[in-house]
Amino acid sequence: MDTERSLPRRTRATALIALAAISIVGAGLAFLYSAQSSKPQPASASDNPLLVTRDFVTYSFMSPTEGWAMDMTSGTAFTASRLTIFRTVDRGRRWEKQLSLSDAFFGYGALPLQAVDQAHCFMLLRGPSKELLFRTADRGAHWDQLAVPDPNVEVVTFTDKDYGWLLTSGNDLYVTRDAGSSWQPLPAPPQDASALRLRLPTEAWMTGVDSGPPHVYSSSDGGQRWHRHDLPSPAGGSWDPNSYFQSSVELLPHAGVVAHVLRDGDPAPFTLTSFDGGGTWRYVRPPSAAVAYQDASEWWAMGSTSLYKSSDGGQTWTEVNSTLPDWMYRPNLYILDPEHAWVSVSVPASLTAPGGNGLAFTDDGGLHWTRAQVPHES
């Protein structure tokens, strides 16, 4: 591996993952494999369900009733860390523990779970010198560690239970067609490309992090070739070549992409959309709120008190609820269909209840929200 290429890539990977991962600090390395997690255990008694947790929990929902949760609690130099995976099939009334990693490991963190269907889920653990990839094919009853082609994995992403790509910190790209059991090399993407996003075996996107105007890359032939797309400057202006830009790209459900450009010194990023493979781009102006995508045209945006919706891909917005519960702060939306969505929130402390991280769902398009039990250790 070329040292001059790998060190900058590793630095960028560390910076990017810091936004999405929680470091798990402890001593030694101890994983529980299939035999140790062969039977799901109840998370806790349901008589007095807890509605908040101090832990950092990420979720992946497959339906209005079924979902996964990863609970990450960091340790210190003197206390063990913990990572626990839960699953619910009854809308969070009960969370069953699927896997527990305790007395864990120094310097490791975890990306959010990648659930591709009700039975199949992947988990990437990132460490100071190597990454570890795990897979379940039976709804979390058993977890198997998979071999990876390079110890320095930046991104692993799957489109279904069999097909996925792996990008290393040295900018090497691999493909699997058998659920990670084996990996084959693909042509290397552009040297400054990062943050891999994969929609289909034939469609992938990456963010450009090199100097120059903000740009992204796309491939429409399974990673054989990559095309650079310079993002147009805002109307009436131009990109200052002396400014520093941070770009990112998101895939909309089924079709279309969203690109974000944060210019050094600006309070909020510019947001653009493309629905023709990056040939043309259009600026949109979402509300100052957390944005999630029901499909390519139907978007939701949730702030601390209001829910907004757009039916034209973010061009115009309508406030549909201005009286969200007062316990909803810093929401993270998971939209399933026009009526059903989940939201993880930060709940402020009050005189009668502790603060922490909570969970809620809606059955009527966001007009009303019901708090759900959060996963926790018994």
Side-chain angles (χ1 to χ4, degrees):
M1 183 181 299
D2 189 330
T3 303
E4 293 183 357
R5 290 176 59 194
S6 63
L7 288 179
R9 294 286 303 170
R10 192 63 180 169
T11 301
R12 288 196 297 270
T14 302
L16 290 171
I17 197 63
L19 300 176
I22 296 295
S23 294
I24 303 176
V25 181
L29 175 63
F31 285 110
L32 304 182
Y33 292 96
S34 301
Q36 295 168 286
S37 60
S38 59
K39 184 178 180 180
Q41 299 295 321
S44 66
S46 57
D47 301 331
N48 301 296
L50 297 180
L51 299 180
V52 296
T53 176
R54 294 287 186 177
D55 298 344
F56 180 80
V57 182
T58 59
Y59 298 93
S60 180
F61 293 101
M62 306 306 298
S63 74
T65 59
E66 187 171 355
W68 299 77
M70 178 188 288
D71 181 344
M72 293 174 283
T73 302
S74 298
T76 68
F78 307 101
T79 60
S81 57
R82 188 184 77 247
L83 185 151
T84 310
I85 296 175
F86 300 89
R87 184 170 175 267
T88 184
V89 295
D90 58 5
R91 187 167 283 181
R93 294 183 182 91
R94 188 177 182 86
W95 290 90
E96 291 187 336
K97 187 190 302 182
Q98 305 290 333
L99 180 66
S100 181
L101 311 179
S102 59
D103 296 329
F105 32 96
F106 180 82
Y108 272 79
L111 286 174
L113 293 171
Q114 293 186 50
V116 295
D117 57 33
Q118 282 81 359
H120 297 83
C121 191
F122 297 88
M123 176 177 66
L124 179 67
L125 302 182
R126 305 201 57 168
S129 60
K130 65 178 180 179
E131 277 67 61
L132 305 171
L133 181 62
F134 289 81
R135 174 189 68 196
T136 181
D138 55 9
R139 292 175 164 82
H142 303 82
W143 291 84
D144 301 310
Q145 185 178 351
L146 304 174
V148 293
D150 187 289
N152 300 307
V153 181
E154 181 178 334
V155 178
V156 177
T157 179
F158 286 83
T159 62
D160 55 45
K161 67 181 183 65
D162 296 315
Y163 190 90
W165 286 12
L166 181 150
L167 179 70
T168 74
S169 58
N171 209 33
D172 296 313
L173 191 60
Y174 296 85
V175 61
T176 181
R177 298 175 178 85
D178 54 12
S181 296
S182 64
W183 298 89
Q184 294 78 44
L186 289 172
Q191 186 173 350
D192 77 314
S194 185
L196 175 66
R197 302 288 184 264
L198 182 65
R199 190 201 312 275
L200 300 167
T202 56
E203 183 184 2
W205 291 78
M206 299 183 73
T207 300
V209 297
D210 207 348
S211 59
H215 57 281
V216 297
Y217 295 97
S218 69
S219 175
S220 59
D221 56 7
Q224 298 301 310
R225 293 169 296 180
W226 292 87
H227 305 280
R228 173 171 169 152
H229 308 281
D230 288 341
L231 300 174
S233 58
S238 60
W239 298 121
D240 183 351
N242 297 317
S243 293
Y244 174 72
F245 301 98
Q246 290 179 294
S247 302
S248 63
V249 64
E250 298 178 90
L251 302 185
L252 293 170
H254 309 304
V257 297
V258 176
H260 305 282
V261 179
L262 181 61
R263 184 170 54 188
D264 190 26
D266 286 346
F270 298 99
T271 300
L272 308 87
T273 58
S274 176
F275 294 93
D276 59 1
T280 59
W281 296 87
R282 187 176 185 182
Y283 273 85
V284 297
R285 186 171 293 181
S288 298
V291 178
Y293 313 106
Q294 177 184 317
D295 55 36
S297 58
E298 302 290 334
W299 298 10
W300 297 28
M302 180 181 285
S304 59
T305 60
S306 296
L307 174 66
Y308 304 87
K309 291 188 179 181
S310 172
S311 59
D312 55 9
Q315 293 294 315
T316 60
W317 293 85
T318 301
E319 187 178 50
V320 298
N321 188 345
S322 62
T323 57
L324 292 178
D326 58 7
W327 42 264
M328 283 192 170
Y329 286 83
R330 296 198 301 274
N332 188 11
L333 274 164
Y334 309 86
I335 305 172
L336 300 173
D337 56 47
E339 301 299 323
H340 300 93
W342 289 83
V343 61
S344 58
V345 293
S346 295
V347 181
S350 67
L351 295 177
T352 59
N357 299 309
L359 182 66
F361 61 85
T362 181
D363 287 329
D364 58 9
L367 297 180
H368 302 89
W369 294 85
T370 302
R371 293 180 70 172
Q373 179 177 341
V374 296
H376 59 277
E377 295 282 351
S378 54

